């Protein structure tokens, strides 16, 4: 494996990434294949450790941000999800700019870009009144003990009431972000009885079956205690001093239709778009959306089996991002290897960039052994899915 620190602060000579082959349909695009970053779990900053469907490892944006930008540059992700690119950019002292059509995404990202102190979280938790529960939703008792559910409903009401008056400060944003992540999961660290992993809420009907099969009924979970414990774990590493000065910007645009507006042009974008219909973001996030007061039916999440439609969205994304990028800026565009590698989405992305201001510089294939994060694609590795990241690196024409 290459030591990525070898390349820091150097002019980039891509041929240092190993021997290249060429893209089958494009002889002028070199492909570099290697293990460019570690496949180890939890090898990045502890603040990254929240789950989201189809998120990439922090090492991926780190690889490009550390080589292609400098302190105070702006880094963008048009499909930010849990915000891996934004957080890594902020940790490296860059301005973080992100977009996602689902407002849930901002709730997961913003809080971790200005984290409060543990003592502030503890004090705020002690002030939240968990006896107010106008929203109690009985059918969720398949996941939660009635007393836990009452606490969750009280928390939900607290955040919705406070956000109506625009009174959520960074401590509230943090507690909401952690609560969203503790809702359901497969261990005692979550509010729910045993269920699917936290990035994938199952349906009420399916949970009834899981409960019957495992002969389980939800036991009481102390929501405040679990929020505090997870906060402790997220905050266990120190933060870089310049992180609070990185002034993030959040957009909530549908890249199929909306125009992106940013305060300052960006030097680099790093993204992974939704892959055809591999992940169902609407159903996977239904419980988080309920807690956050978001109606998933109103969100235009792109999910299509049609490659042409997908390519069209990628084209629109490339055009939109070009508009907000400085001349000479970069775009690292990650896609998975799906349909057992038969469908090479990286070539579709290269095609989608025709008639735009982007030049494909190279394709980077990061190959690694099976890991938990790669399994978040919802596919079995070495079966229907992938354990490689395939990244097209574009450079903006000067
Ligand atoms: C593969 S995930 C991104 C994961 C991200 N790289 C991370 O590490 O968390 C794709 C994201 O695209 C968002 N999305 C889907 N359709 C969209 C659209 N039309 N416009 C903007 N965002 C969209 C989804 O809500 C989802 O969060």
């Amino acid at each position: 494996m290459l030591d990525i620190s070898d390349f820091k602060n150097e002019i980039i000579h891509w041929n240092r990434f190993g021997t290249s082959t060429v893209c089958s349909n494009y002889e002028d695009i070199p492909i570099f294949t290697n293990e460019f970053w570690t496949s180890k779990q939890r090898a990045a900053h502890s603040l990254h450790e929240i789950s989201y469907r189809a998120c990439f490892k922090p090492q991926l944006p780190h690889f490009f941000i550390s080589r292609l930008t400098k302190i105070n540059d702006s880094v963008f992700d048009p499909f930010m999800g849990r915000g891996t690119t934004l957080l890594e950019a902020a940790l490296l002292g860059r301005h973080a700019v992100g977009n996602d059509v689902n407002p849930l995404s901002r709730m997961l990202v913003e809080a971790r870009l200005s984290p409060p102190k543990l003592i502030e979280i503890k004090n705020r938790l002690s002030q939240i009144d968990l006896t107010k529960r106008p929203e109690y939703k009985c059918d969720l008792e398949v996941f939660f003990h009635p007393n836990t559910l009452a606490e969750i409903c009280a928390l939900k009401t607290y955040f919705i009431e406070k956000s109506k008056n625009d009174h959520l400060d960074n401590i509230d944003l943090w507690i909401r972000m952690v609560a969203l992540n503790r809702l359901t999961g497969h261990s005692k660290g979550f509010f729910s009885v045993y269920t699917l992993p936290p990035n994938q809420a199952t349906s009420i009907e399916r949970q009834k079956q899981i409960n019957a099969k495992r002969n389980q009924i939800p036991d009481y979970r102390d929501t405040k205690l679990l929020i505090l414990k997870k906060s402790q774990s997220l905050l266990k590493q120190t933060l870089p001093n310049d992180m609070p000065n990185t002034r993030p910007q959040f957009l909530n645009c549908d890249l199929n239709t909306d125009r992106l507006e940013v305060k300052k042009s960006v030097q680099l974008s790093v993204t992974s778009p939704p892959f055809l219909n591999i992940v169902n973001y609407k159903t996977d996030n239904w419980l988080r959306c309920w807690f956050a007061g978001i109606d998933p039916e109103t969100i235009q999440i792109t999910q299509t089996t049609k490659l042409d439609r997908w390519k069209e969205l990628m084209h629109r994304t490339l055009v939109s991002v070009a508009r907000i990028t400085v001349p000479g800026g970069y775009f690292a565009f990650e896609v998975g290897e799906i349909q057992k590698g038969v469908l090479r989405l990286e070539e579709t992305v290269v095609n989608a960039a025709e008639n735009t201001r982007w030049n494909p510089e190279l394709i980077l294939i990061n190959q690694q052994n099976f890991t938990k994060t790669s399994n978040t694609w919802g596919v079995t590795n070495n079966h229907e899915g992938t354990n490689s990241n395939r990244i097209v690196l574009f450079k903006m024409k000067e």
Side-chain angles (χ1 to χ4, degrees), residues 48 50-58 60-61 77-85 99-105 108-109 112 251-258 260 270-275 279 281-282 285 299-303 309 313-314 317 334 377:
H48 281 289
I50 68 155
S51 56
Y52 192 76
R53 285 285 273 161
C55 59
F56 47 43
K57 281 179 187 292
L60 188 158
D77 186 345
F79 300 99
M80 69 180 168
R82 70 166 179 171
T84 319
T85 295
N99 174 66
D100 202 289
V101 72
N102 192 343
L104 176 69
S105 174
L108 302 177
V109 189
R112 286 176 300 132
L251 308 172
N252 179 214
C253 300
D254 174 359
L255 283 159
N256 267 311
T257 49
D258 300 336
L260 301 173
V270 185
T271 204
S272 75
F275 294 173
V279 173
Y281 293 97
K282 233 175 235 179
N285 283 320
I299 311 167
Q300 298 307 315
I301 294 181
T302 301
Q303 198 182 328
R309 239 202 104 206
L313 173 65
M314 297 310 113
T317 303
E334 194 257 349
W377 295 108

Side-chain angles (χ1 to χ4, degrees), residues 129-243:
D129 179 4
L130 293 187
T131 59
K132 281 191 189 168
R133 50 191 69 165
E135 277 254 6
Y136 195 86
K137 193 167 155 49
C138 304
D139 51 357
L140 294 183
E141 285 179 3
V142 291
F143 293 104
F144 309 109
H145 183 277
N147 293 347
T148 314
L149 181 56
E151 290 183 16
I152 295 170
C153 292
L155 279 169
K156 175 181 169 161
T157 308
Y158 170 84
F159 293 121
I160 290 183
E161 289 302 314
K162 260 192 133 176
S163 63
K164 269 187 206 149
N165 306 321
D166 222 7
H167 282 158
L168 292 174
D169 61 11
N170 71 323
I171 310 168
D172 289 322
L173 292 180
W174 177 274
I175 295 172
R176 183 176 63 182
M177 178 276 296
V178 178
L180 280 165
N181 277 281
R182 295 293 94 189
L183 279 177
T184 57
H186 46 338
S187 78
K188 296 245 177 220
F190 296 94
F191 301 163
S192 72
V193 70
Y194 178 94
T195 180
L196 297 187
N199 54 15
Q200 222 180 334
T202 194
S203 67
I204 289 174
E205 282 316 306
R206 175 85 187 94
Q207 186 60 33
K208 281 183 190 160
Q209 290 166 13
I210 295 175
N211 291 353
K213 194 169 169 203
R214 296 174 61 92
N215 196 18
Q216 62 180 17
I217 46 169
D219 54 339
Y220 172 68
R221 303 284 162 90
D222 183 334
T223 55
K224 287 186 177 178
L225 186 69
L226 293 180
I227 290 172
L228 199 60
K229 274 192 176 164
K230 180 65 182 173
S231 302
Q232 219 160 6
S233 146
L234 285 166
L235 294 170
K236 67 176 179 248
Q237 277 175 262
T238 48
L239 294 170
N241 289 337
D242 43 9
M243 191 170 153

Side-chain angles (χ1 to χ4, degrees), residues 23-26 335 344-352 363 392:
C23 186
S24 54
N25 290 324
Y26 301 91
V335 290
R344 281 201 283 262
L345 284 184
E346 66 274 25
E347 294 196 2
T348 309
V349 171
V350 170
N351 287 335
I363 293 172
V392 185

Side-chain angles (χ1 to χ4, degrees), residues 382-393:
N382 301 325
H383 252 306
E384 299 148 22
T386 178
N387 50 13
S388 69
N389 299 108
R390 311 170 82 81
I391 300 126
V392 185
L393 184 71

